[in-house]
Amino acid sequence: MITPTEPDEATAAFIAGMPKAELHVHLEGTLEPVQRLEFAQRNAVALPENDVAVYTDLTSFLASYYPNMAVLQTERDFFDLAYAYLTKATAQGVRHTEMFFDPQAHTSRGIPFSTVITGYHDAVVRAEFEFDISAQLILCFLRDHSAESAMDTLAESLSYRHWIVGVGLDSDERGNPPSKFAAVFARARAEGYLLTMHCDVDQPNSIEHIRQAIEDIGVDRIDHGTNILEDPRLVALARDRGIGLTSCPLSNAVVSDGGKAPEIVELLRAGVKITVNSDDPPYFGGYLTENLLALAATTDLTRDEFVRLQRNAFEISWISAVDRDAHLARLDAYVAGWAR
């Protein structure tokens, strides 16, 4: 775990108030303990026995993560889950977010795809109306399921294409390289989806998986991905192509041997469009602001570099050029206000 010291009061206030974009957060991973209990009681679902879990790696985390989803049963549950995250994100200064969801984790237990996507979409619509936030949904395929299941999920998603901005790949990476899903992602690209993939930290064959994602699949972004530093050629390729990396310090510190703060700093200073995000906040001890504050406490990043992290996030986000410019202008105005 990261054990941060407190950044100075002015830096902490600057980071907390800064307009932000979050590009790596799993809606199912925002399930707070109180929500878990509420949804279980609402739906008469027995809670899993693993109420308290100690995660030592990605595999042990996932063993706790997926059973908790059993409490999500109805459109209302999915709505309430997403709306609660969007409320929290707004309070932390997030002005744009792109949220992962895992339909196979629900359809595989009998919950219709339509139930999942409708609940989430309705929360996006309501939050955009009520709060000063924009939000988009990214459908993730579970890489420890078959490629055929992913292709079926992709086909089912097309009826809701106007609600989904892109597709991703998550879950247990061991033995499940990007190449396993090459045909699925090729079709997703042809259908108009943007592409991202998890390349989790310190996994077997990490650098080969990153290479496949960039060179063979042609992703627009990589989620996590700090192992790219093992290959300077791939670092240069990601920088030159403007491929963004969505890093998550607090979760890194739980599933690996550290928060990867030095790697984040090195990639940022090398000109790679790396960003900071919260991943699965209740599981790892913090939302976006807490991840940024942890980075502030464990690095020598300057205030200008924290601004660069947010500029990166808006610049690699999947929004229109007009909306991107508006968010960047808001960020510039915030920085100028502090300078005055």
Side-chain angles (χ1 to χ4, degrees):
M1 290 286 291
I2 290 177
T3 306
T5 57
E6 289 293 326
D8 68 83
E9 186 174 333
T11 297
F14 179 83
I15 289 171
M18 187 165 45
K20 304 174 182 70
E22 173 147 64
L23 309 178
H24 184 152
V25 61
H26 298 265
L27 281 173
E28 290 87 358
T30 66
L31 183 66
E32 294 279 358
V34 66
Q35 291 175 309
R36 182 169 168 261
L37 179 60
E38 176 188 347
F39 296 163
Q41 293 173 339
R42 177 192 296 177
N43 297 315
V45 173
L47 288 171
E49 295 180 358
N50 57 344
D51 280 357
V52 178
V54 176
Y55 317 126
T56 57
D57 54 21
L58 179 62
T59 303
S60 61
F61 161 66
L62 293 174
S64 174
Y65 180 64
Y66 287 115
N68 285 337
M69 294 185 198
V71 302
L72 298 168
Q73 297 282 324
T74 67
E75 281 184 23
R76 180 185 173 190
D77 299 333
F78 292 103
F79 173 92
D80 287 350
L81 181 65
Y83 186 78
Y85 161 72
L86 290 163
T87 302
K88 177 71 172 181
T90 299
Q92 290 211 342
V94 175
R95 297 295 171 249
H96 177 71
T97 180
E98 295 171 7
M99 309 170 295
F100 299 128
F101 71 108
D102 290 335
Q104 289 161 287
H106 310 297
T107 57
S108 62
R109 57 189 178 85
I111 308 299
F113 187 102
S114 59
T115 297
V116 180
I117 188 68
T118 301
Y120 284 155
H121 172 71
D122 287 353
V124 167
V125 172
R126 179 171 170 182
E128 289 185 336
F129 177 76
E130 293 184 349
F131 309 140
D132 190 12
I133 192 169
S134 59
Q136 295 174 310
L137 294 169
I138 300 173
L139 183 159
C140 277
F141 305 113
L142 299 183
R143 66 198 313 155
D144 46 2
H145 288 217
S146 69
E148 291 76 16
S149 174
M151 189 68 84
D152 289 344
T153 301
L154 174 61
E156 191 167 12
S157 78
L158 297 178
S159 297
Y160 306 93
R161 172 67 187 85
H162 53 302
W163 291 352
I164 302 169
V165 69
V167 298
L169 185 67
D170 62 12
S171 200
D172 199 338
E173 192 166 338
R174 297 173 306 164
N176 298 297
S179 58
K180 173 181 173 181
F181 299 92
V184 179
F185 276 77
R187 182 179 176 190
R189 174 77 83 187
E191 296 288 354
Y193 287 123
L194 294 163
L195 310 182
T196 188
M197 284 185 169
H198 277 52
C199 293
D200 283 291
V201 295
D202 299 340
Q203 295 296 297
N205 302 311
S206 282
I207 197 65
E208 170 59 15
H209 290 183
I210 292 170
R211 188 205 65 76
Q212 289 178 17
I214 293 175
E215 296 190 320
D216 299 344
I217 308 296
V219 296
D220 303 290
R221 293 202 303 247
I222 293 176
D223 303 307
H224 299 298
T226 49
N227 287 89
I228 198 172
L229 285 167
E230 297 168 21
D231 188 333
R233 184 184 69 85
L234 290 178
V235 172
L237 195 58
R239 181 194 63 226
D240 295 345
R241 291 187 182 179
I243 296 171
L245 273 60
T246 65
S247 189
C248 308
L250 290 178
S251 70
N252 289 344
V254 172
V255 303
S256 185
D257 61 354
K260 305 302 177 186
E263 290 86 344
I264 293 169
V265 172
E266 183 175 351
L267 287 163
L268 180 69
R269 291 174 178 170
V272 175
K273 290 190 179 297
I274 194 164
T275 69
V276 171
N277 309 270
S278 68
D279 208 354
D280 306 281
Y283 290 90
F284 298 123
Y287 285 79
L288 179 51
T289 295
E290 287 76 32
N291 275 268
L292 289 165
L293 291 175
L295 197 61
T298 53
T299 69
D300 64 348
L301 285 174
T302 67
R303 191 172 294 182
D304 286 346
E305 287 174 319
F306 277 101
V307 175
R308 168 48 58 188
L309 285 169
Q310 290 315 306
R311 291 193 68 86
N312 285 349
F314 287 118
E315 287 170 357
I316 68 169
S317 67
W318 292 341
I319 53 178
S320 71
V322 171
D323 288 341
R324 180 179 299 110
D325 289 347
H327 285 301
L328 289 172
R330 186 201 304 254
L331 179 61
D332 289 342
Y334 176 80
V335 174
W338 270 83
R340 288 195 297 271

